[in-house]
Amino acid sequence: MNTPDRHRVFAGVVALALLTVPGKTQERSLYLDVAQPVEARVQDLLSRMTLDEKIALVHGDSKFTTPAIPRLGIPLRWMSDGPHGVREDVNANNWFPAGRTDDFATCLPVGIALAATWNPEAAQDYGDVIGEEALNRGKNIMLGPGVNLMRTPLNGRNAEYLGEDPWLASRMAVSYIRAVQSHSVASCVKHFAANNQETRRNSINVEMDERTLREIYLPVFKAAVQEAGAWAVMGAYNKFRGEFCCENEYLLNRVLKQEWGFSGLVMSDWGGTHDTREAALNGLDLEMGTNRPYNKFYLADAFRDGLQKGEFPMAALDDKVRRNLRVMFATRVFDGRPEGSINTKAHQAAARRVAEEAMVLLKNDGPTLPLDPAQLNSIAVIGDNATRPQAYGGDSARIKAFYEVSPLDGILRRVGASVNVTFSEGYAKDGDAGARAARAVQAARAADVAIVIAGLTRQRPFDCEGVDRKDLRLPYGQDDLIRQVVQANPRTIVVLVSGGPVEMDSWLAQVPAVVEAWYSGMEGGNALARILFGDVSPSGKLPCTFPKRLEDTPAFAGGARAYPGENGTEHYDEGLLVGYRWYDTKNIEPLFPFGYGLSYTAFQYSDLKVIAGADPQAAVATVEFKLTNTGAREGGEIAQVYVHQGKPGLSRPNKELKGFCKVFLKPGEQQTISIPLPRSAFAYYDPAKGGWLAEQDDFQILVGASSRDIRLQGVFRLQQTTLEK
Ligand code: BGC
């Protein structure tokens, strides 16, 4: 039965429940009454459930479902990956595709590309697409966004995540989650917590100090739960301080549930549960993906036996079931869900918009870009990534895209028949690299301009789940190829398709223009063509530092103990100094800094005012300045506000991002930008005091076009020291 059909059947089952709940014949059960408060509905339904029914709701009965309980009108519950769209269906009991013909979906750009837009409105569009399509495909809980921070550029899943900065990632995640959930689809934020590498991900134990945990690795989850109201959280595979994250008393019970007041459900990552007692007592509410028969899941028969023997309190089970039921009510499974929509023009337009806003212009000498097709007779497009589909990659994040416009397709469509476009692979995984490169060089020499579409892929061992990259180099002789191409034709543009930084030292000086395009989803080729040919100015900025070399990166400095770990444990010795916090504080020159990205136009920053806020509860300071488009084209700028504390009680990173704003301006247009800074923007976590300390002190307010291009500076004096728990 396909998913929408299943839905219709279960709507019928709900109707049945109206009539057949024992003792309540012909009477409407309270839990089915939409007018009742959710907690009352939850309690009512819980009180009607048998032990076996409750147990059935806390573990999976297929790869992505929990069972229906027709007696009570509880429908089959579907979860689905993932962060960039609704994944194809797999078989109930294995990972092979179900082979359906109705599970093609919109493929959005990957998470790091979304973060590169620096635009919460783009994240809202993105979440809307996922919510609508999930409804249409009958999915209740979408497994995303992935919000683990980029600790090392080698992490195989960096492409899925939102970059290296907690504030930027929080803003994007909050917008994304709110949008998904506005469609009565739950967003499951993942992977909680400290899941920052794929190497030995199922067993590695992470050790870090409390301040680093609170300031770097938890804020996005906290914002997802408290600001966006995420209904579900997925535990991580790894251990944290010796205990698996899916059964981690400190992370799940203490921090997430007690401190943050999370009332939704915690599910395991697939196969992330290891022990009945720990799963029962340490905060896990739904076990998924364990590699054994469903009744042998840790929260199945063994849990029921333990409850019956009194080893675990019934209250522990009831709490889990309540959390599961809350999410069911939130996703309106008893009330009739909207139908949603899929593969619409509007969804494709959203995919293109995000892709366009995400691309980052890294270099543009000359300027080389944009290209004017009217002035060109020929273009040599070079590189395997010009035609390689990327949507169906990355493992659990893959999407069976409705279609995928490759970079070559996009260029061909854009320039039409008047320009002679040639394509040569240039490099490949196997085969005769020399002959391929020679053909590409010849094509480049013969053309007016060469566009090399280089980079990585969404297959192992690159930007893919389950494995980390070994280094930051481009594979398959691409560095050599680029050097040869630019020698043959100095008008060469390199477009990088990747989920994070790559080293460029051997060719960057010779190549006049470089674009980071990421994995840009089904509309990526169209978006790229619009950027290359100037229909739109690039407006993305880097959500992560691009280092010159692997040796410069924070996790590398600590040796194997820091990454990928020794004797089963890794120590986050770099502490708070992740991403630009590291490069700034240690005075290491990056290749391209965090927050960096060029445009086809120019922006001027002026007239900074730092205004003390009237309402200390809201903003203690408001940063106000003017932004003017002084160039000749319309364009978008991302203005960033960093804070530097003068004399902190505990040492702090050199600067920390605390606000940003993306603005689109026409040539000559000016806008006054106003960015509020709440008290929390000045605070750091003091582990001894167990809370967030904002100290009476002078703070430098740095307004910049990137983390290393500060255009305006002011000072703000915080008048009062406060501690918030
Ligand atoms: C991944 C999750 C994913 C799950 C279900 C796991 O391997 O870590 O992110 O949601 O599989 O496919």
Side-chain angles (χ1 to χ4, degrees), residues 248-314:
N248 193 296
E249 159 70 18
Y250 183 67
L251 288 177
L252 302 180
N253 281 342
R254 272 271 308 279
V255 176
L256 178 65
K257 293 183 175 176
Q258 285 168 28
E259 279 185 37
W260 299 352
F262 177 66
S263 62
L265 78 89
V266 175
M267 71 175 73
S268 69
D269 199 343
W270 270 233
T273 313
H274 298 269
D275 180 83
T276 295
R277 166 164 289 275
E278 299 203 348
L281 302 178
N282 292 355
L284 183 69
D285 305 308
L286 174 58
E287 176 185 2
M288 295 302 297
T290 307
N291 194 16
R292 40 166 80 186
Y294 301 109
N295 66 332
K296 299 286 178 223
F297 274 30
Y298 296 96
L299 288 184
D301 291 356
F303 185 31
R304 191 197 45 219
D305 294 349
L307 286 158
Q308 280 171 331
K309 285 191 208 135
E311 287 167 12
F312 316 119
M314 281 295 171

Side-chain angles (χ1 to χ4, degrees), residues 118 165 167-168 171 580 594 623 625 638-643 656-662 673-678 681 702-704:
W118 291 62
D165 180 75
W167 178 254
L168 171 62
R171 294 311 92 205
Y580 64 92
F594 174 79
V623 181
F625 54 95
I638 298 155
Q640 301 152 43
V641 176
Y642 296 86
V643 167
E656 296 164 46
L657 181 75
K658 295 297 174 185
F660 62 88
C661 180
K662 187 166 195 176
I673 314 290
S674 187
I675 297 179
L677 295 180
L702 311 164
V703 179

Side-chain angles (χ1 to χ4, degrees), residues 110 159 196 222 243 363 411 460 595 668:
V110 293
N196 304 303
K222 188 177 183 188
E243 215 167 43
K363 183 173 178 188
I411 291 168
R460 296 194 176 124

Side-chain angles (χ1 to χ4, degrees), residues 545-566:
T545 307
F546 274 37
K548 285 191 173 151
R549 58 193 80 83
L550 181 61
E551 291 76 4
D552 292 346
T553 62
F556 189 90
R561 170 189 149 89
Y563 173 86
E566 261 172 2

Side-chain angles (χ1 to χ4, degrees), residues 63 267 355 385 459 501 533:
K63 282 287 174 216
M267 71 175 73
N385 271 346
Q459 315 302 324
F533 297 99

Side-chain angles (χ1 to χ4, degrees), residues 180-431:
V180 171
Q181 297 197 157
S182 73
H183 298 270
S184 309
V185 171
S187 203
C188 179
V189 60
K190 66 191 189 184
H191 309 88
F192 190 66
N195 185 186
N196 304 303
Q197 70 184 48
E198 291 297 283
T199 306
R200 296 197 282 280
R201 67 174 179 173
N202 293 309
S203 61
I204 194 80
N205 175 43
V206 173
E207 295 288 338
M208 72 174 95
D209 65 88
E210 189 65 16
R211 186 173 168 207
T212 299
L213 178 72
R214 300 285 178 159
E215 288 191 29
I216 303 293
Y217 296 102
L218 290 190
V220 198
F221 289 100
K222 188 177 183 188
V225 165
Q226 292 194 329
E227 281 183 63
W231 292 327
V233 171
M234 186 189 292
Y237 278 133
N238 50 286
K239 290 179 184 164
F240 176 73
R241 296 184 186 154
E243 215 167 43
F244 281 108
C245 287
C246 293
E247 305 160 352
N248 193 296
E249 159 70 18
Y250 183 67
L251 288 177
L252 302 180
N253 281 342
R254 272 271 308 279
V255 176
L256 178 65
K257 293 183 175 176
Q258 285 168 28
E259 279 185 37
W260 299 352
F262 177 66
S263 62
L265 78 89
V266 175
M267 71 175 73
S268 69
D269 199 343
W270 270 233
T273 313
H274 298 269
D275 180 83
T276 295
R277 166 164 289 275
E278 299 203 348
L281 302 178
N282 292 355
L284 183 69
D285 305 308
L286 174 58
E287 176 185 2
M288 295 302 297
T290 307
N291 194 16
R292 40 166 80 186
Y294 301 109
N295 66 332
K296 299 286 178 223
F297 274 30
Y298 296 96
L299 288 184
D301 291 356
F303 185 31
R304 191 197 45 219
D305 294 349
L307 286 158
Q308 280 171 331
K309 285 191 208 135
E311 287 167 12
F312 316 119
M314 281 295 171
L317 173 63
D318 283 352
D319 179 59
K320 294 182 199 308
V321 177
R322 255 192 218 100
R323 290 169 178 277
N324 279 276
L325 293 180
R326 263 182 216 126
V327 179
M328 290 191 178
F329 284 108
T331 53
R332 293 173 53 184
V333 300
F334 301 100
D335 312 335
R337 307 177 81 210
E339 279 203 355
S341 57
I342 195 158
N343 296 320
T344 64
K345 287 271 174 244
H347 296 179
Q348 292 149 17
R352 195 190 81 190
R353 174 201 176 173
V354 175
E356 240 169 62
E357 279 201 39
M359 291 184 188
V360 183
L361 181 60
L362 295 174
K363 183 173 178 188
N364 194 18
D365 284 359
T368 305
L369 291 171
L371 298 170
D372 179 356
Q375 307 291 319
L376 294 175
N377 291 316
S378 54
I379 302 175
V381 177
I382 295 164
D384 179 63
N385 271 346
T387 56
R388 174 177 289 276
Q390 306 279 5
Y392 199 74
D395 217 346
S396 67
R398 67 170 172 260
I399 302 293
K400 192 162 132 188
F402 190 56
Y403 61 79
E404 185 173 349
V405 182
S406 70
L408 179 62
D409 289 340
I411 291 168
L412 285 169
R413 287 183 195 190
R414 176 61 183 78
V415 299
S418 61
V419 183
N420 180 30
V421 179
T422 62
F423 169 65
S424 30
E425 232 178 344
Y427 66 90
K429 193 171 167 186
D430 319 292

